[in-house]
Amino acid sequence: EKNIENGEYLFKAMYTSSSQKSYHRGASSTHKLNAIQKQNCADPTAHIKANDVLVAAATATVPMTEPLAMTMSNLYTLMQVDVRNNTGAEIVVTMFEMTAEGADLAAVFNVDDFDNPAISISSGASDKIIVNITGGTVAAGASLPVYFVMAPLADYSGDVTFKVTDADGNTYSKTVTMDGISFEA
């Protein structure tokens, strides 16, 4: 316990699942963003809470006359991709994969700046996000929304490949060339 002198201070906070975070003294904290995520279509966004991270920064004067209020913001990008079934028959989707060549979509990241916020790679970078899907039955002509969390990309140019695997082991893929697109928090 340490008393701090009166004055104006910048307070920073990070909130995330306890299994995903680690704090250390210094300029940054670390957070693990999983390259493999799981979606149960009965509650398709439930898994996002375990991967998302929220950050905030606020200036306050000590001693405080009232509690400090912070507005938390997403650090990572929450994505929804609609997988449309054009096979002509019902399928059961078991896996979705998105690859962005040369991008760092998942890793152990250092959270360098809560104001901006900025992140840098600590280890284990992956250009791929895989979502293992339970209950992914899709009627012919219908769509299945897939939800996942990835690191933001600024001004990305390159190929993005989407791949879907069904319960029979069939794979379907589509590659799109992106030019200067941003995926932001």
Side-chain angles (χ1 to χ4, degrees):
E1 185 174 319
K2 179 182 174 184
N3 292 326
I4 59 175
E5 296 180 13
N6 292 352
E8 188 173 271
Y9 292 90
L10 177 63
F11 293 88
K12 298 181 178 184
M14 180 167 69
Y15 173 82
T16 185
S17 168
S18 61
S19 65
Q20 296 290 76
K21 67 188 175 186
S22 86
Y23 299 112
H24 58 84
R25 294 183 183 276
S28 66
S29 297
T30 59
H31 180 264
K32 180 180 180 184
L33 177 58
N34 288 329
I36 299 177
Q37 300 171 30
K38 297 178 181 179
Q39 173 179 320
N40 184 335
C41 293
D43 189 0
T45 58
H47 67 290
I48 288 187
K49 297 183 200 97
N51 294 287
D52 190 18
V53 60
L54 300 172
V55 293
T59 302
T61 301
V62 175
M64 293 182 195
T65 57
E66 58 186 47
L68 176 62
M70 289 188 171
T71 300
M72 305 299 280
S73 300
N74 290 314
L75 177 61
Y76 295 120
T77 301
L78 280 69
M79 294 285 286
Q80 175 188 333
V81 175
D82 290 322
V83 176
R84 185 161 179 83
N85 177 5
N86 291 328
T87 66
E90 181 178 273
I91 63 170
V92 178
V93 174
T94 58
M95 189 184 81
F96 169 87
E97 182 180 302
M98 175 179 159
T99 305
E101 293 180 6
D104 299 310
L105 303 182
V108 175
F109 291 104
N110 286 327
V111 182
D112 301 309
D113 180 359
F114 287 13
D115 301 311
N116 191 28
I119 56 177
S120 62
I121 297 169
S122 174
S123 65
S126 173
D127 65 355
K128 186 179 300 184
I129 297 286
I130 294 172
V131 183
N132 291 316
I133 296 173
T134 302
T137 302
V138 191
S143 295
L144 173 73
V146 177
Y147 300 94
F148 57 95
V149 183
M150 69 179 204
L153 293 176
D155 197 30
Y156 173 77
S157 293
D159 287 344
V160 176
T161 300
F162 303 94
K163 185 169 91 172
V164 173
T165 304
D166 70 16
D168 295 325
N170 300 313
T171 59
Y172 311 90
S173 66
K174 181 173 186 173
T175 299
V176 180
T177 300
M178 302 287 186
D179 186 19
I181 193 166
S182 293
F183 299 99
E184 298 180 3

